Amino acid sequence: MQLPVQSQSTMYAEAWEAGAGPDDLVALARAADRAGFDYVATCDHVAIPRRLASAMSTVWYDPVATLAFLAAATERIRLLSHVAVVGLRHPLLTAKQYATLDHLSGGRLILGVGAGHVREEFEVLGVDFERRGPVLDESIDALRAALGPEEFPEHHGKLFDFEGLGQLPRPAQERVPLWVGGSSPAAVRRAALKGDGWLPQGDPRDRLPAQIARIRRLREEAGTEGPYTVGAITEPLYVGTPTWDVGRRTLAGAPDALAESLRAYRAMGVDQIQVRFRSRGRGELVDQITAFGAEVAPRLD
């Protein structure tokens, strides 16, 4: 699941999150860890322009700092950037941050990357917004080298060129999983050909089969092999019968009914689902996480 509190867009934040903070993040990450969730995720924005602040808010915790903080508070759950806008930073800087995170967490990092969409962030940092796609493409190639096993990684490209510069510590994982986010044609192609997995950007269920089929076709045509993880973001969820208005799009009900609905994602070819629960406070959200882990997740296999 992507954690609340650390990003507070009006598209999904609950009212109680505005007054929440580090203690709430730790409690929720630990609840997900105990409940058997695969990962917790955080977002990435450097600064939100005033024109977007009323919708997006300006609450966006730094992903590396937040995931490192939560790594020390949890035991086994993996740590996902969903997504890091890696084109805003030089690949060696990104590699230094995330390699250290993987090292300190004992190999729990999943690096999710995306192109970004806020023009002003790119402009203030001196990065060409119009060329963010090609920048991301080469950033992924450079990160493959910089997050690999070599102390002195090497990459020679059009935008980035480095060799003879050592970085320790290396990641704990031999190969850090790199998942690519986005649902545009370019993003799906990038995910298929450059990623170890795909993180769709809120595609509804009826769009997923065609997107997944395209990924498989692109990988087959390119002769790309190896493990690959297809993700999906589910509808908002509520385990049990709510006594308050959880919204018409929310899937709510008994564990059997929820599991039956969510198993449809597996039938489409989805390997992992990212969930978000409706809640009125930390306690209710912890209860939802716990109930899902105990009563719904075992019925998904």
Side-chain angles (χ1 to χ4, degrees):
M1 66 177 292
Q2 186 163 137
L3 288 167
V5 181
Q6 54 81 34
S7 69
Q8 296 186 29
S9 167
T10 58
M11 291 180 61
Y12 49 72
E14 302 283 10
W16 66 268
E17 295 178 46
D23 290 347
D24 301 283
L25 277 171
V26 168
L28 296 167
R30 285 175 170 166
D33 199 16
R34 291 192 304 268
F37 281 45
D38 187 57
Y39 64 73
V40 289
T42 63
C43 303
D44 181 23
H45 278 291
V46 171
I48 305 301
R50 195 177 297 276
R51 68 179 178 89
L52 297 175
S54 60
M56 292 180 64
S57 92
T58 57
V59 180
W60 297 85
Y61 286 36
D62 177 78
V64 179
T66 305
L67 292 173
F69 174 67
L70 296 176
T74 54
E75 297 180 359
R76 47 148 295 277
I77 199 163
R78 305 202 75 181
L79 310 161
L80 168 66
S81 58
H82 186 181
V83 289
V85 185
V86 295
L88 294 175
R89 307 164 180 91
H90 191 284
L92 284 179
L93 175 59
T94 299
K96 169 58 72 174
Q97 294 174 311
Y98 282 100
T100 302
L101 172 58
D102 194 62
H103 175 79
L104 292 174
S105 68
R108 290 195 272 153
L109 171 67
I110 305 170
L111 181 58
V113 303
H117 66 94
V118 178
R119 177 183 292 273
E120 288 90 337
E121 285 185 307
F122 285 77
E123 291 175 345
V124 76
L125 295 172
V127 182
D128 187 346
F129 178 76
E130 298 298 339
R131 290 189 52 77
R132 65 193 184 281
V135 170
L136 176 55
D137 286 338
E138 187 172 329
S139 294
I140 291 173
D141 294 338
L143 284 168
R144 288 290 194 195
L147 289 171
E150 297 299 324
E151 179 181 352
F152 292 87
E154 184 174 337
H155 171 81
H156 303 287
K158 294 179 180 179
L159 302 172
F160 308 110
D161 191 290
F162 54 83
E163 66 175 316
L165 294 167
Q167 287 189 328
L168 290 178
R170 305 308 303 154
Q173 299 177 87
E174 184 175 337
R175 180 183 174 94
V176 173
L178 196 154
W179 294 354
V180 178
S183 295
S184 69
V188 171
R189 181 178 182 83
R190 183 178 298 117
L193 300 181
K194 290 185 173 292
D196 302 310
W198 176 50
L199 293 164
Q201 194 62 39
D203 291 65
R205 291 193 189 202
D206 59 359
R207 284 195 62 196
L208 283 172
Q211 298 275 58
I212 294 169
R214 181 166 182 252
I215 287 173
R216 289 174 174 165
R217 183 174 66 254
L218 287 168
R219 288 176 63 81
E220 183 177 348
E221 290 172 355
T224 304
E225 299 179 348
Y228 195 83
T229 303
V230 172
I233 301 175
T234 74
E235 303 85 350
L237 302 177
Y238 193 90
V239 183
T241 303
T243 58
W244 56 288
D245 183 8
V246 295
R248 62 181 182 82
R249 289 188 60 249
T250 299
L251 294 178
D256 279 340
L258 290 180
E260 181 179 1
S261 178
L262 295 175
R263 282 196 295 268
Y265 285 102
R266 183 187 296 278
M268 297 176 196
V270 171
D271 301 301
Q272 63 91 4
I273 53 172
Q274 186 174 124
V275 296
R276 178 178 288 272
F277 303 98
R278 296 301 317 275
S279 63
R280 294 166 292 181
R282 184 177 97 182
E284 184 171 30
L285 183 49
V286 168
D287 290 344
Q288 285 288 302
I289 291 169
T290 303
F292 187 90
E295 302 174 36
V296 180
R299 292 175 164 90
L300 297 179
D301 292 330

